[in-house]
Amino acid sequence: LSKSSQIVSGLALITFKLFLQALEDGLKKADADPSVKAVMICGENGKFSAGADIRGFSSPKRHGVALSPIVSLIESSEKPVVAAIEGVALGGGLEVALGCHYRVAHAKARMGLPEVTIGLLPGAEGTQRLPRLIGVPAALDMITTGKHIPATEALKLGLVDEIVEENTIEAAIRLANKVIGQPLEPRRLSLKPVPKLPNMEAFLREALVKVKRQARGCLAPELCVQAVRAATERPFAEGVRRERELFGLLLSSGQAQALQYAFFAERAVRRWAAPGGASWSSAAPQPVRKAAVIGLGTMGRGIVTSLVKANIPVVALEQDLEYLNKGRKAVMLLLEREAMKMEGGAQTLDFHNPARLQFTVDFDLLCDVDLVIEAVFENMALKKEIFHKLSKICKPGALLCTNTSALNIDEIASATNRPQQVIGTHFFSPAHVMRLLEIIYGRHTSPTAIATAMQLAKALKKVGVVVGNCFGFVGNRMMFPYVQQAVFLLEEGSRPEAVDQVLEDFGFKIGPFRMSDLAGLDVGWRSRKEQGLTGPSLAAGTPARQRHGQRYSPLPDLLCEQGRFGQKTGKGWYQYERAGGRTATPDPWLHDFLSQYRDTHGIQSRFIDQEEILERCLFSLINEGFAILAEGIASGPEHLDVIYINGYGWPKHRGGPMFYASTVGLPRVLAKLQKYSEAHPDVPGLRPNAFLKKLVAVRSPPLKEWMSYLSHQSPKL
Ligand SMILES: CC(C)(COP(=O)(O)OP(=O)(O)OC[C@H]1O[C@@H](n2cnc3c(N)ncnc32)[C@H](O)[C@@H]1OP(=O)(O)O)[C@@H](O)C(=O)NCCC(=O)NCCSC(=O)/C=C/CCCCCCCCCCCCC(=O)O
């Protein structure tokens, strides 16, 4: 068939100008050449196409519109066109394949329309062709979630005609040969009707309700449903017009830019940098063939589960048999659940095999592991004791990681004989679900240790973000002023449900008070007692609402003193149906308690509007972000944004806190902070950071240029 086939595709990414022109030229040439009987389209280097170059969407008119006519050209060809899909066929890549009359895929190929994840919809007629091919429910699922489906599933759905284990191109050529001369009309998707559903209207209505609930203010999923609805209600050409209209709306919504920024930010943070010039490009990771986890509380259980899922043999250690058995049961339950979600189930995970997962109380069994993750509770003395023991037992090359959310990595490292191999790995709960891994280097941490921790994050399918050592690191340090403002707002007249509502409407998965109830108020209470901010070590005569000359709210401490720890005790900032319950209901007791508290402290209650709630919480968090950047704790604003999107439920369609600040406008953030700071001079978190002021003074450059305005390289970097 060599004479009758044409390979006209060549790039994994559709760099539109060159690629589309080549595709058009190739198709026209093939059409005009009587010796060509069929056309096969494939990619280069084992990849069909990852779709359009996402960076190109900043100039949509120039690039975007050109793909649809090409897809139509393919479909209307008088000669059969077969797509040979290897690697990935995503976005515009899959839309090209949908224009073809036949699709052959390699068994390992993946397909999807991920445009929704970058704030768009499949704008080259994908929302109109896919439902015609695989029906509305399956098409809607792919288009609104953007998920990549494996070839086997694509075959079941009818998205591809054949899958092969061997040479996809040869198989596609074989198929092309076979279908020469067969009628093409039934293979042209634009001519097919959308398969009917008995309850189409109800189905689409429910789908819209579901995506709206899940999207929390993100527009793209909703508009995807509207585009698919158009396919069910209108002829193909009109559906395409509607798709284009909706695409245009998304393109100008601002959300697409935020989501595309987030896509590249997540990839940018892999290129880490640390003190002394060490970086991702020069440091090589050590292999991790076996790991250990110390402590099987909530965090340890999730970490063990993550490691087992990543196929890394684990030794799980507890202090005594009682805790060990409790931990073992919980881990097994988590793993059973994870196995059920996986193809191949328990056999794939193999967690009943002691060579893959071993439970022990014997520290000596840690002598041959390559990496230890200590996950005991946040107590410096205990952690130091464990690290001292580890440095005696573990082999010389072993990496010693501490799962801490705030403690000083250098102090923990000082208890060992190998501070260069000590590193912070801050997991987020539940650790087998949450994608973020904050990786904290100490003063002596070696580049190899950082590279190994980053490699571990990748193996665990997490996003590793390398940051410097300070109290709370990046995520929690930015969270402190945010939560502090939320509590101050209660003192001044607001209620937990009002504050949560504003932040959840903004797009947070959960507001600060619901979050605090979920995490447990006792966690922060313990830490504040350790810091001497409350409890028996507080100096007599300390004013109730002041610490170290700054405003302090004792409200969370007072709740803890009442035994209100949140969900676990059935009462916290809200009331719950029972201890351990999850349904938060506003609590009249708390409202009375707040009134009495204000009376006791002579605070005049006032109405606080949504704007003030949002600005005080978010701008104080962002302000701390500028401090972190200025101190060199993180090497760029993308790091902060990736941390917030993946670890703190920040709405991705707003691009992360620092990106959000850039869209609000730095002068506005500064002006508002100045205003609130004047009203609350005893709150340092509201005092505009010098770096923010500087950026405004130099006329608010684009976010990617911010770091170049730091006058001196921070000693941390
Ligand atoms: C699965 C992947 C492809 C690979 O994953 P992995 O192997 O892990 O590698 P990565 O690290 O993720 O990626 C490696 C590097 O490649 C870069 N990359 C990857 N994909 C892209 C991309 N699509 N664009 C740009 N760059 C990309 C990535 O950044 C890495 O580089 P670096 O480390 O950052 O340097 C995975 O990468 C992946 O999932 N990629 C994304 C795939 C995707 O989302 N594809 C869809 C893109 S959108 C699309 O295809 C749309 C096409 C058709 C548009 C038609 C529009 C018509 C509009 C008509 C209407 C006009 C209306 C007018 C409006 C008006 O009125 O104004």
Side-chain angles (χ1 to χ4, degrees), residues 13 16 50-55 57 61 64-65 67-68 88 90-93 95 110 114-115 117-118 123-124 148 244 247-248 251 263-264 267 270-271:
L13 274 190
F16 272 87
D53 184 340
I54 295 169
R55 290 182 212 273
F57 286 114
K61 284 196 176 147
V65 211
L67 185 59
S68 296
V88 287
L90 299 173
E95 287 174 309
R110 286 182 296 138
E115 287 87 340
T117 63
I118 50 166
H148 301 180
R244 227 164 252 181
F247 187 91
L251 211 51
F263 175 87
F264 290 112
R267 283 152 181 84
R270 294 179 197 155
R271 295 184 277 271

Side-chain angles (χ1 to χ4, degrees), residues 161-205:
D161 301 289
E162 193 181 321
I163 55 174
V164 292
E165 296 278 353
E166 301 300 328
N167 193 318
T168 318
I169 293 175
E170 280 174 14
I173 292 174
R174 263 198 311 277
L175 179 67
N177 254 330
K178 208 166 89 186
V179 297
I180 289 170
Q182 287 185 16
L184 287 174
E185 292 300 285
R187 308 297 307 180
R188 295 194 170 112
L189 295 180
S190 68
L191 303 181
K192 276 170 86 92
V194 173
K196 295 234 174 314
L197 286 180
N199 53 349
M200 186 70 87
E201 181 52 38
F203 178 83
L204 287 169
R205 238 193 347 256

